[in-house]
């Protein structure tokens, strides 16, 4: 299964205090945005929506002018998981959103609205964490590679394991309502050999869940950020969305046609 990803920063988002700075939000989204009291919360929400809308527009070959983006909405399902809508109709995609310290990540894949798939992504800052954090949130199986890691690698493996847990909990549509020790991350023995110089390099991981389900996924890191993506069915290495390619004028988007096309493609893979 193909999963795509996009990352944006606050510098990519139209400034909020300029005229028309929020024209890419729908009327309902603007109302919700205005209810957010805290600056960090509102900035994170806005950045996450911007990143998801740009990913959805590119994936579905929609224009990206403000009015077109305003026709794309992301609202939480009863579980809290984000769901995408285009012109008030469910979009045939699955998405997951994560943001931290002015950077947002969106993972996206084809998903007919009547079939669905499990998808989760997360990004984490590589930073020191306490022994109490390890004891409280990681299963014994995960504490072994943490204990074996060198001091130089400890912060990275902790960020990686935590990010993979977050991705799996999102894919389960549970979030931190579940005990984080009920999802156990398994890395390859050579995890520390991940080539930081290759921006397209993703390394495999697995997450075993307490209900018996296993998520397959991928991770990559730069010097300061770890990103993880998990899905069921098992995904291929995530593919970066190249926004420089732009809107393909020769193609048009119709929500009903895209639903049928995606559904046929999924059935073909299942056969």
């Amino acid at each position: 299964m193909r999963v795509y990803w996009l990352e944006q920063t606050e510098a990519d988002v139209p400034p909020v205090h300029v005229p028309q700075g929020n024209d890419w939000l729908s009327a309902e989204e603007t109302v919700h945005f205005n209810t957010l009291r805290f600056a960090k919360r509102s900035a994170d929400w806005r950045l996450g929506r911007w990143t998801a809308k740009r990913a959805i527009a590119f994936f579905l070959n929609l224009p990206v002018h403000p009015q077109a983006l305003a026709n794309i909405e992301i609202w939480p399902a009863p579980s809290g998981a984000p769901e995408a809508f285009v012109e008030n109709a469910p979009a045939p995609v699955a998405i997951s959103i994560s943001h931290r310290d002015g950077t947002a990540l969106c993972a996206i894949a084809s998903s007919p609205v009547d079939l669905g798939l499990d998808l989760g992504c997360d990004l984490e800052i590589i930073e020191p964490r306490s022994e109490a954090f390890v004891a409280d949130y990681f299963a014994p199986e995960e504490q072994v590679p943490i204990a074996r890691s060198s001091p130089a690698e400890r912060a990275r493996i902790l960020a990686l394991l935590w990010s993979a847990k977050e991705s799996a909990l999102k894919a389960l549509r549970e979030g931190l309502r579940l005990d984080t020790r009920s999802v156990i991350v398994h890395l390859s023995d050579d995890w520390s050999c991940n080539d930081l110089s290759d921006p397209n390099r993703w390394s495999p991981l697995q997450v075993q869940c307490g209900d018996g389900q296993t998520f397959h996924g991928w991770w990559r890191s730069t010097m300061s950020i770890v990103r993880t993506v998990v899905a069921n069915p098992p995904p291929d290495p995530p593919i970066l969305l190249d926004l420089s390619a732009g809107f393909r004028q020769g193609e048009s988007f119709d929500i009903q046609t895209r639903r049928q096309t995606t559904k046929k493609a999924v059935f073909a893979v299942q056969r």
Side-chain angles (χ1 to χ4, degrees), residues 235-252:
D236 296 331
I239 302 168
L240 178 64
L241 294 176
D242 180 11
L243 296 186
S244 65
F247 174 61
R248 300 177 290 284
Q249 293 287 348
E251 301 179 22
S252 61

Side-chain angles (χ1 to χ4, degrees), residues 88-186:
N88 297 316
V93 298
I95 61 170
S96 183
I97 305 169
S98 180
H99 40 70
R100 176 76 191 272
D101 287 5
T103 300
L105 169 68
C106 178
I108 183 169
S110 293
S111 179
V113 294
D114 54 347
L115 291 181
L117 63 85
D118 301 319
L119 176 67
C121 76
D122 187 70
L123 63 80
E124 292 292 333
I125 302 298
I126 299 173
E127 59 189 356
R129 297 178 189 264
S130 68
E131 291 295 339
F133 178 80
V134 175
D136 287 345
Y137 295 108
F138 293 89
E141 300 95 316
E142 296 167 319
Q143 294 183 30
V144 171
I146 294 171
R148 290 176 178 170
S149 64
S150 67
E153 290 291 352
R154 186 178 187 276
R156 186 156 73 117
I157 192 173
L158 279 171
L160 168 54
L161 293 173
W162 182 252
S163 180
K165 284 177 178 289
E166 288 260 27
S167 288
L169 291 170
K170 290 178 181 179
L172 289 168
R173 297 175 176 83
E174 290 289 350
L176 293 176
R177 293 187 294 268
L178 282 185
D179 186 339
T180 59
R181 294 166 297 183
S182 68
V183 290
I184 301 174
V185 182
H186 298 278

Side-chain angles (χ1 to χ4, degrees), residues 56-69:
I56 294 164
F58 186 91
F59 191 79
L60 296 177
N61 193 35
L62 292 168
V64 294
H65 57 77
Q67 185 54 54
L69 292 180

Side-chain angles (χ1 to χ4, degrees), residues 37-58:
R37 296 173 51 201
F38 300 104
K40 182 181 183 305
R41 171 61 180 151
S42 62
D44 286 346
W45 184 90
R46 195 167 176 268
L47 174 58
R49 280 341 188 238
W50 170 264
T51 306
K53 288 184 180 222
R54 290 303 308 269
I56 294 164
F58 186 91

